[in-house]
Each structure stands twice: as C-alpha cells, then as structure tokens.
C-alpha cells in the first residue's frame, strides 16, 4: 500500500489553517511571568527560546506530519529536515532530537516503519545530532516527526519580528513542494521532478545558524505550511512593517508553475488564502494558479531573510555558495501598516 493512500493530507499541508489556529489559541493563558522565556507564542516564531545565562539559550521545537511521498525512508528524511529547520531559522544549533511516531500498526509492515525511522535518523546524523528517544502510538494514519532541542546565544538570536524599513528580502529555496506532492498523490509527477523535490526538501537549512550574529541580518523565518504569503505576513506583523514581494522574482521548482496551472493544488493552498484576511494585496486579476504558487504549503521549505539592502547581493552570493542555488532577492520591507503587497506575477518557466 502506498503511504500517501493512508493519509488524508501530507507534509506541511496537514497544518491547521492560520485562521483556525488563531481561533484555537485565542483566550489561552499566557506563558506567565518568566523573564527567561525570550520567545514564546507572542509573534508566531519558529521555536521557543529559554535564556540560561548571558551567553546561552536553549531552543525547543516540534514538527510532525503525514506522508507526502510513498518511499518510507524519504518520508523520514523530509520530516526530520523540516523539524530541524526551526532551530536553524532562529539562529541556533540543534543538539538532539526525540522521535514522534504514530503508525497504523495493522496496515503497515514493521520494515516500512523502521525505514521511516532510519530516514529520520540519517538526517539527524548529517546534522551531527542523535535521536535520543521518542514516543510512539498506534494511529489510523501514519505520522512522523521530531521534537528538537538546540543551543544558541541571546546576542545571535534571529526572530521573525526584527525586519526594518529599507530591508531587502531573500528566499533561499524554490516554491512548489505542495504542487509536487499533489501530483505525487495522483501519480502524475513529471519525470525527474521527484529527485528535484527530494533534493530541496532534504537540504538542511543550516545556513540560518551560520548567519546567526550577522549584523546585517535582521529577521529570519522558515517558509512552511502557511506558504510564502502566510509566513511573510507573520514576519510583517511581527516586525510592524509592510512587505513588498516581486512575484516574478520568486524562485520556483522547475515544474511548479505548470503543475499549478494544470490544477495540481493542495487543499491547504485554499485554506491558507482564506485565512490571510486583509493582510495581502495581490495584482488585479491575478489568475488563481499564480496565487496558488504563493499560497502553496512548503514542506521543508526555505528561509525568508530580512537584511540590510546594501548587504543583500553579497548575502545571496554567500547563500548560493553554501549550497542553496535558488536563493534570490524577492522584495523589500518599507514603513507602513503591517501587510504584504505583491507586484508582478509568477511565470511558466
């Protein structure tokens, strides 16, 4: 049985829509008066951060989802890469992980489940950390991910709330993972596209940790289930700035635009758009397929970086040289009401 047949959704497309999450969290008690808690839930950041002393912070995050691919080892690799991304996005260094596993034991052979775990462990080994434990349950749908602990420094912390007017915006990976996963579910992915998607979704976002402490870098967040527009909107609201995105400059996976035009779209793309509210302004009469590219849920997507405009070209070159060939400057931040304005349009490439 194909793994994707056992799940009603897959990858970060499984995430609850932003509006649903806001409703669920409304009225929840605040974390309390803990001065050591530098980052909690107040700005939709990527990981929680606890300050141990003047030089040390502990970062913690968790991420898990249902399969977006049918190969069990690849599923484990993608899920682990995605979970580790939150630590890197905050400028931290992961030190260990705990596995989160829910499997339909009566429907999947033990060997398949072992391959999922082995895939996740292989990515953690690449990151230089152990899978130090975990928890498992019998679940009607397959679920896998990690809880990750990392270390950092208060002075080298990157949040999604530090963008400043005049900053340039850089995206480090191409969009389109959700469109590829929709095609996988319908067994319609073009030849060669699977390898391209796997290369992107298993590429660790360790460049975020390498940029920690860079004075020219003001904010970082990773682009995952809420799509580029959703995570850009979180950054805009957290920072109190307006973002302008040039959609024609946004990097795409090779077949993303064609798949979007041909209707290979996840349900999460629709839910994302319905959740953004008044915060997004698109060009007049932008076709739905182009909008879907910008709303497409990214599983193990790239980093969205706000940096000093004068440093942007050098940073793009540095990021590409570190192994992210699609890293591109895609817009800027300006003074104004928090929101995202899109100019231009994605093109068939």
């Amino acid at each position: 049985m194909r793994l994707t047949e056992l799940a009603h959704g897959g990858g970060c497309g499984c995430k609850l829509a932003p509006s649903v999450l806001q409703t669920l969290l409304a009225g929840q008690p605040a974390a309390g008066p803990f001065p050591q808690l530098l980052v909690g839930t107040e700005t939709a950041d990527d990981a929680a951060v606890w300050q141990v002393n003047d030089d040390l912070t502990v970062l913690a995050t968790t991420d898990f989802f249902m399969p977006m691919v049918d190969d069990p080892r690849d599923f484990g690799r993608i899920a682990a890469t995605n979970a580790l991304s939150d630590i890197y996005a905050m400028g931290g260094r992961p030190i260990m992980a705990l596995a989160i596993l829910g499997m339909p034991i009566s429907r999947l052979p033990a060997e398949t489940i072992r391959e999922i775990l082995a895939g996740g462990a292989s990515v953690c080994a690449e990151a230089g950390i152990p899978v130090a434990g975990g928890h498992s349950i019998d679940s009607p749908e397959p679920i896998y991910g990690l809880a990750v602990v990392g270390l950092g420094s208060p002075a080298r912390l990157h949040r999604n709330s530090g963008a400043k007017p005049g900053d340039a915006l850089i995206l480090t990976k191409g969009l389109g993972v959700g469109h590829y996963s929709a095609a996988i579910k319908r067994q319609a992915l073009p030849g060669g596209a699977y390898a391209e998607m796997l290369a992107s979704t298993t590429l660790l976002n360790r460049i975020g940790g390498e940029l920690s402490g860079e004075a020219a870098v003001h904010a970082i967040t990773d682009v995952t289930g809420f799509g580029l527009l959703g995570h850009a909107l979180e950054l805009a609201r957290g920072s109190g700035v307006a973002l302008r995105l040039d959609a024609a400059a946004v990097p795409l996976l090779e077949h993303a635009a064609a798949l979007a035009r041909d209707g290979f779209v996840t349900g999460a793309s629709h839910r994302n758009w319905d959740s953004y509210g008044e915060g997004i302004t698109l060009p007049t009469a932008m076709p739905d397929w182009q909008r879907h590219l910008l709303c497409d849920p990214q599983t193990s997507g790239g980093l969205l970086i706000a940096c000093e405009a004068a440093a942007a070209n050098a940073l793009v070159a540095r990021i590409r040289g570190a192994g992210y060939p699609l890293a591109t400057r895609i817009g800027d931040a300006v003074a104004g009401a928090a929101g995202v304005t899109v100019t231009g349009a994605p093109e068939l490439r």
Side-chain angles (χ1 to χ4, degrees):
M1 179 171 290
R2 298 171 59 211
L3 282 177
T4 53
E5 291 179 346
L6 294 171
H8 74 280
C12 284
C14 298
K15 289 178 70 169
L16 296 178
S19 59
V20 174
L21 188 59
Q22 290 171 3
T23 299
L24 295 177
L25 294 178
Q28 293 294 319
F34 296 101
Q36 302 100 319
L37 185 63
L38 299 186
V39 182
T41 60
E42 62 280 355
T43 56
D45 257 305
D46 296 302
V49 182
W50 185 270
Q51 184 168 0
V52 178
N53 55 42
D54 291 344
D55 301 314
L56 181 65
T57 57
V58 174
L59 297 83
T61 185
T62 183
D63 215 314
F64 51 90
F65 45 64
M66 291 168 280
M68 55 178 290
V69 296
D70 291 312
D71 184 281
R73 182 174 286 260
D74 289 346
F75 171 37
R77 293 174 64 204
I78 293 168
T81 307
N82 179 75
L84 288 163
S85 178
D86 288 339
I87 301 296
Y88 293 127
M90 299 291 292
R93 173 177 60 87
I95 59 169
M96 71 173 181
L98 303 173
I100 299 166
L101 184 73
M103 290 289 147
I105 299 299
S106 63
R107 304 183 70 186
L108 282 179
E111 179 57 32
T112 296
I113 301 171
R114 283 197 297 268
E115 282 291 293
I116 294 170
L117 293 171
S122 70
V123 166
C124 289
E126 180 185 348
I129 68 170
V131 179
H135 185 67
S136 59
I137 62 169
D138 188 355
S139 167
E141 294 182 280
I143 298 168
Y144 175 69
L146 301 175
V148 188
V149 177
L151 298 178
S153 164
R156 299 169 67 88
L157 182 65
H158 280 135
R159 305 188 59 175
N160 69 357
S161 55
K164 302 176 182 180
D167 279 355
L169 300 173
I170 297 169
L171 183 63
T172 64
K173 291 185 183 182
L175 301 183
V177 176
H179 297 296
Y180 279 47
S181 67
I184 288 172
K185 205 163 181 70
R186 290 157 60 179
Q187 297 183 287
L189 193 66
Y194 184 82
E196 179 200 18
M197 184 196 74
L198 192 64
S200 179
T201 54
T202 59
L203 175 60
L204 288 167
N205 277 329
R206 64 170 92 235
I207 188 65
E210 295 171 9
L211 293 177
S212 67
E214 293 279 346
V217 176
H218 298 152
I220 300 180
T221 191
D222 63 348
V223 177
T224 55
F226 297 158
L228 174 61
L229 290 183
H231 291 285
L233 184 58
E234 288 183 336
L235 189 148
R237 288 172 173 168
S239 302
V241 297
L243 302 187
R244 300 184 303 197
L245 302 182
D246 177 6
V250 171
L252 302 174
L253 298 180
E254 181 180 355
H255 302 279
L259 289 171
R261 180 201 59 190
D262 293 342
F264 293 94
V265 177
T266 68
S269 180
H270 296 280
R271 295 193 297 272
N272 283 342
W273 175 249
D274 291 341
S275 295
Y276 297 153
E278 302 300 319
I280 306 290
T281 302
L282 298 180
T284 303
M286 173 179 274
D288 286 347
W289 71 266
Q290 292 179 329
R291 187 194 75 215
H292 283 310
L293 284 163
L294 303 177
C295 301
D296 186 49
Q298 302 306 289
T299 301
S300 195
L303 300 178
L304 180 62
I305 301 169
C307 67
E308 292 177 4
N313 290 342
L315 276 172
V316 168
R318 175 179 170 183
I319 294 166
R320 288 188 175 187
Y324 305 82
L326 296 184
T328 306
R329 180 174 176 173
I330 64 168
D332 54 18
V334 297
V340 179
T341 298
V342 177
T343 60
E347 301 174 356
L348 289 171
R349 302 175 186 176

